[in-house]
């Protein structure tokens, strides 16, 4: 199975059933909770000072629940109505918005003491339409510039996300920098295949003498809590024997032929037992 | 659950709508009161970020007139409690918010405002 963000846009992927499944899955809850705690740690808020936080892509409120527990006042936004419905049922304290973060938001400058976002940014990396405002760089730019102005100076924003490649990390960090953020990437358990987690840690302000420093990632083999999300495993084209599987196999050819027939194309060859077989290499 | 705390920080984000786009006006609102834990320090911290006139106005629109029209110099406990009530305990459940400048309507249903924009409105 490929990554969820490659299958459909978030508001469609997280439909009613998927939203319920996602929220009920205890392993998922555990992973989300761990990452939320870690994000809060990276946010490095002054202790004993009640803060007003923004939860970007709050979903069904798995992270919001922890913000409630920790005594933060928060507002959350998500693009999937079904997820928000589940969040309503869970009776969280925070305010919820149905919002596409790629369209930017209109919060007044300096509104929030910090922002967290768990497993969201990767959803911004796919274009849904060919309209210019739908291209990932445009959406990221809009998102980061409006977020930068919505945050107080000094403050931080921490994003946990699942990049597929270094190019994606490069794209995201460069756009964030252009929007005025400082900071960088923190990788927890970089040597572990299973527990590796990527956090984007962005700073607003904090220049001059007291330069904010990017926190260190967690080291060591792996924590027993940070577990593996199998569905995020990279899709490989290889089968079990290690050989690369052909993309255009018999099933694919039959599917294509069927499609052509439905479209009324003429001269589509008949299906037979020879369909999709290789010719012998003899002259 | 639009509370007035978020309403007071929320401006219109339609493309090109940059002046006079705050505060959004409430329309046909239904409210619900939900008690929240009183945290004087949080309210005090928040004061510098609030737009008092907009807050009083919004409170009036949802039917609460307990706040003085001018921002008082001194904050006593009584006033902080009132502020707390207005900011965190009034939840708007149904209705709509309209931008005073471009007249974009953000409908609120089931406590969730719909902030999605059409393609031509994206900045």
């Amino acid at each position: 199975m490929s990554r969820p963000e490659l299958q459909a846009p978030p508001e469609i992927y997280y439909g009613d059933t998927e939203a319920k499944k996602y929220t009920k899955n205890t392993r998922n809850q555990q992973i989300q909770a761990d990452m939320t705690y870690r994000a809060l740690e990276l946010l490095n808020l002054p202790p004993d000072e009640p803060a007003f936080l923004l939860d970007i892509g709050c979903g069904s409120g798995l992270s919001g629940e922890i913000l409630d527990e920790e005594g933060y006042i928060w507002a959350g936004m998500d693009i999937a109505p079904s997820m928000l419905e589940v969040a309503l049922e869970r009776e969280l304290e925070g305010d919820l918005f149905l919002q596409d973060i790629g369209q930017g938001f209109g919060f007044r400058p300096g509104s929030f003491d910090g922002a967290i976002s768990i497993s969201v940014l990767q959803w911004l990396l796919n274009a849904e339409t060919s309209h210019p405002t739908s291209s990932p760089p445009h959406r990221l730019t809009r998102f980061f510039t409006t977020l930068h102005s919505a945050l107080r100076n000094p403050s931080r924003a921490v994003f946990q996300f699942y990049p597929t490649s270094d190019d994606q990390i490069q794209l995201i960090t460069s756009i964030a920098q252009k929007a005025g953020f400082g900071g960088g990437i923190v990788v927890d358990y970089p040597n572990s295949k299973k527990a590796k987690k990527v956090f984007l840690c962005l700073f607003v302000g904090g220049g001059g003498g007291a330069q904010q420093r990017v926190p260190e990632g967690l080291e060591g083999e792996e924590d027993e809590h940070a577990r593996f999300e199998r569905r995020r495993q990279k899709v490989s084209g290889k089968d079990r024997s290690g050989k690369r599987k052909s993309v255009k196999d018999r099933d694919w050819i039959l599917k294509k032929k069927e499609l052509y027939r439905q479209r009324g194309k003429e001269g589509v060859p008949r299906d037979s037992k020879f369909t999709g077989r290789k010719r012998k290499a003899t002259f | 659950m639009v509370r007035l705390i978020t309403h007071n920080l929320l401006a219109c984000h339609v493309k090109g709508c940059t002046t006079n786009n705050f505060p959004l006006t409430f329309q046909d609102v239904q409210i619900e009161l939900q008690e929240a834990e009183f945290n004087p320090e949080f309210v005090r911290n928040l004061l510098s970020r609030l737009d008092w006139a907009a807050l009083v106005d919004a409170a009036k629109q949802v039917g609460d007139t307990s706040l003085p029209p001018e921002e008082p110099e001194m904050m006593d406990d009584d006033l902080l409690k009132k502020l707390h009530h207005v900011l965190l305990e009034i939840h708007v459940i149904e209705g709509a918010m309209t931008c005073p400048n471009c007249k974009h309507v953000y409908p609120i249903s089931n406590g969730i405002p719909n902030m999605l924009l059409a393609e031509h409105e994206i900045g």
Side-chain angles (χ1 to χ4, degrees):
Chain A
M1 200 169 44
S2 73
R3 295 166 154 252
E5 62 270 21
L6 298 180
Q7 291 175 32
E11 67 273 28
I12 293 167
Y13 181 80
Y14 289 115
D16 287 337
T17 42
E18 190 65 28
K20 287 226 167 64
K21 252 200 296 185
Y22 186 88
T23 319
K24 273 197 190 140
N25 185 334
T26 44
R27 207 173 64 102
N28 217 342
Q29 286 172 5
Q30 183 66 41
I31 294 173
Q32 294 273 322
D34 287 340
M35 294 193 297
T36 309
Y37 279 119
R38 176 69 177 139
L40 281 175
E41 191 185 337
L42 290 171
L43 213 51
N44 198 16
L45 291 163
D48 310 323
E49 224 173 87
F52 189 42
L53 299 183
L54 185 62
D55 187 353
I56 301 161
C58 57
S60 50
L62 289 175
S63 46
E65 199 167 43
I66 288 162
L67 296 180
D68 277 346
E69 269 172 37
E70 298 284 308
Y72 295 111
I73 315 267
W74 60 279
M77 52 183 64
D78 205 287
I79 197 179
S82 308
M83 286 292 243
L84 290 173
E85 224 162 88
V86 178
L88 274 184
E89 282 167 22
R90 289 156 57 85
E91 300 196 334
L92 301 153
E93 303 266 331
D95 287 358
L96 303 169
F97 292 93
L98 176 66
Q99 189 151 24
D100 181 359
I101 57 171
Q103 297 179 347
F105 20 81
F107 290 109
R108 287 199 295 135
S111 296
F112 294 94
D113 297 309
I116 65 162
S117 151
I118 306 295
S119 311
V120 174
L121 274 189
Q122 70 269 10
W123 289 100
L124 280 181
L125 296 168
N126 304 306
E128 306 304 348
T129 67
S130 57
H131 196 267
T133 54
S134 174
S135 79
H138 184 275
R139 286 164 63 76
L140 283 167
T141 309
R142 185 90 185 118
F143 168 60
F144 280 125
T145 39
T146 46
L147 176 68
H148 185 269
S149 72
L151 289 173
R152 224 174 55 150
N153 185 354
S155 65
R156 286 186 182 192
V158 176
F159 306 81
Q160 182 277 327
F161 69 115
Y162 295 100
T164 34
S165 65
D166 286 345
D167 289 349
Q168 291 192 341
I169 298 182
Q170 179 67 34
L171 176 74
I172 288 175
T173 45
S174 71
I175 291 178
Q177 262 165 20
K178 272 184 208 142
F181 283 107
I185 295 281
V186 179
V187 183
D188 282 357
Y189 312 114
N191 299 322
S192 160
K193 240 184 177 171
K194 296 181 173 180
K196 182 174 170 181
K197 290 281 177 286
V198 181
F199 290 87
L200 175 65
C201 203
L202 296 177
F203 308 141
V204 179
Q211 222 15 286
Q212 298 208 55
R213 274 187 47 214
V214 180
E216 300 274 321
L218 298 176
E219 290 286 340
E221 260 315 285
E222 75 192 61
D223 185 297
E224 56 182 272
H225 287 302
R227 257 162 283 152
F228 179 48
E229 265 192 280
R230 185 174 293 280
R231 62 197 185 117
R232 303 281 176 187
Q233 193 178 25
K234 218 175 161 193
V235 239
S236 78
K238 290 175 186 173
D239 64 3
R240 213 171 277 166
S241 63
K243 262 193 233 150
R244 189 171 280 275
K245 227 175 80 193
S246 166
V247 181
K248 300 182 179 177
D249 56 1
R250 190 184 150 85
D251 287 343
W252 181 86
I253 294 171
L254 289 176
K255 205 179 76 191
K256 276 290 192 197
K257 282 162 91 174
E258 189 53 45
L259 188 71
Y260 288 146
R261 282 189 202 111
Q262 276 174 12
R263 288 187 189 154
K265 191 177 170 183
E266 280 170 33
V268 181
R270 279 180 296 131
D271 298 337
S272 75
K273 64 175 183 181
F274 301 108
T275 305
R277 282 211 203 158
K278 264 222 159 69
R279 245 177 247 280
K280 271 201 185 131
T282 48
F283 279 77
Chain B
M1 290 162 303
V2 192
R3 290 175 292 187
L4 292 194
I5 179 176
T6 27
H7 172 262
N8 202 272
L9 300 170
L10 197 62
C12 177
H13 64 295
V14 169
K15 181 182 188 178
C17 184
T18 47
T19 47
N20 185 31
N21 59 354
F22 171 84
L24 305 175
T25 351
F26 280 119
Q27 271 163 357
D28 321 315
V29 289
Q30 275 175 40
I31 58 164
E32 198 177 278
L33 298 181
Q34 276 177 31
E35 247 172 73
E37 204 179 318
F38 178 50
N39 189 334
E41 216 169 312
F42 177 77
V43 179
R44 219 183 274 272
N45 272 344
L46 201 70
L47 268 180
S48 58
R49 278 178 252 171
L50 291 179
D51 184 318
W52 189 271
L55 180 66
V56 174
D57 225 33
K60 240 179 241 159
Q61 285 167 25
V62 296
D64 187 299
T65 48
S66 58
L67 294 177
E70 294 290 321
E71 180 166 5
E73 305 250 312
M74 286 293 290
M75 282 289 159
D76 53 11
D77 255 12
D78 189 40
L79 197 62
L80 282 178
K81 273 213 177 97
K82 275 184 194 155
L83 256 176
H84 166 78
H85 172 74
V86 170
L87 284 172
L88 296 167
E89 291 186 338
I90 301 179
H91 295 249
V92 178
I93 301 295
E94 297 283 336
M97 296 184 289
T98 314
C99 168
N101 185 32
C102 69
K103 306 292 173 215
H104 183 98
V105 180
Y106 299 98
I108 305 172
S109 83
N110 213 351
I112 297 178
N114 181 344
M115 309 299 289
L116 299 178
L117 302 177
E119 219 164 54
H120 66 278
E121 294 169 323
I122 304 171

